[in-house]
Amino acid sequence: MMLRAFFFGLDERVKVWMAVSVSAAAIYCVDMYLQAAALAVCLGLCLICGAKRFVVGFVVVLLIMAAIAVILSLASVAESGFTGLGVFYILIKFGTMFAMMAFIQASLNTSRFLRSLEAMRVPPQWVIPLGTCLRFMPSAVAECRQIRYAMRIRGVALTPGRLLREPIVTLGYAMVPLLVRSLYIGEDLARAAMARGIEASGAKSSLHEIRLRPSDVIVVTVWTASLAAMLTADHLVFAAFAGGTT
């Protein structure tokens, strides 16, 4: 609980920097062990912040791909076909990005993040659309869940079999209600923004105090130094491997 409160209390700019930097570093890295280490750290952050369902689902898929790769390699039946190794490697390499997306979704405070952008003098033309998107995503997820529930009650559940048999009709059952509901939600968001003075000129007040604390600076320093060490180690490993092959 203390770790969770600590990460929830970090400045939103620090969280975004953590997500962007480690995702870029993992994609840039060549060594699979370093990528796996970065992924393990990111999955640990997801567990701390409460994204347990994502972690469990991701690990299950990862284990399935690993099992397929091991079974087919032992059977020696897939020298040129599907072995599972490709999907397994993609999950390791890009899983860090998806894990940090789950971490951001679980821990990011939208109001503080938007206020941080305003404090950094980011133009309103960028802040307002971004804030609208962030506010709309949870509502869109909830609407999709309700539409799926309503479709299941009416006997037109969104299943893979139905999608293959009647793709246009099935997607129509899902997309039309979602589009209609999106219009209503958009109008509600517009009214709420106008009620909060989004069109008013001048500086706006905020309930959140936006400033970097010593803990934020320490986290950024340690995180950035760790990523720099990771990239340095990856470069050394790649250089040693290239020297050994020549």
Side-chain angles (χ1 to χ4, degrees):
M1 293 300 293
M2 293 181 61
L3 280 175
R4 185 173 184 178
F6 174 78
F7 282 106
F8 271 86
L10 287 177
D11 190 277
E12 313 308 310
R13 293 167 289 184
V14 175
K15 299 174 188 176
V16 173
W17 165 247
M18 291 170 63
V20 173
S21 59
V22 74
S23 300
I27 293 174
Y28 177 81
C29 272
V30 178
D31 187 77
M32 190 172 181
Y33 293 103
L34 292 175
Q35 294 171 354
L39 177 60
V41 172
C42 295
L43 291 177
L45 291 176
C46 291
L47 285 176
I48 292 173
C49 293
K52 298 179 181 179
R53 294 181 60 182
F54 168 81
V55 175
V56 172
F58 186 87
V59 171
V60 168
V61 174
L62 199 64
L63 292 177
I64 291 174
M65 290 299 106
I68 292 175
V70 171
I71 292 172
L72 294 181
S73 64
L74 293 177
S76 300
V77 296
E79 294 185 359
S80 59
F82 175 75
T83 62
L85 281 176
V87 178
F88 181 78
Y89 179 74
I90 291 174
L91 288 174
I92 292 293
K93 191 173 188 65
F94 293 94
T96 302
M97 179 174 61
F98 294 110
M100 292 310 289
M101 288 173 60
F103 166 73
I104 289 294
Q105 182 182 7
S107 64
L108 190 70
N109 185 301
T110 305
S111 299
R112 288 197 306 181
F113 178 58
L114 297 177
R115 184 68 185 91
S116 299
L117 294 180
E118 292 175 354
M120 294 169 63
R121 301 295 189 271
V122 177
Q125 293 82 357
W126 294 7
V127 177
I128 294 175
L130 179 60
T132 303
C133 293
L134 293 175
R135 296 290 189 187
F136 180 74
M137 283 190 293
S139 300
V141 172
E143 292 297 331
C144 290
R145 190 178 299 113
Q146 293 182 4
I147 291 171
R148 289 181 58 188
Y149 180 70
M151 291 175 63
R152 189 161 59 248
I153 291 177
R154 289 164 175 80
V156 288
L158 192 63
T159 60
R162 184 177 294 276
L163 277 174
L164 291 175
R165 292 193 306 269
E166 301 175 334
I168 304 299
V169 176
T170 305
L171 289 177
Y173 288 149
M175 295 304 298
V176 172
L178 181 60
L179 291 174
V180 173
R181 287 296 304 157
S182 298
L183 293 175
Y184 286 109
I185 295 173
E187 292 179 358
D188 292 339
L189 288 175
R191 294 192 189 97
M194 292 181 64
R196 287 166 173 79
I198 196 171
E199 296 179 341
S201 58
K204 299 178 177 62
S205 60
S206 175
L207 295 174
H208 305 286
E209 182 182 3
I210 305 301
R211 63 183 180 86
L212 290 176
R213 299 171 301 172
S215 58
D216 299 317
V217 178
I218 293 173
V219 169
V220 170
T221 303
V222 174
W223 188 265
T224 306
S226 301
L227 292 180
M230 171 183 168
L231 294 175
T232 303
D234 180 76
H235 177 73
L236 294 176
V237 169
F238 179 74
F241 177 77
T245 55
T246 56

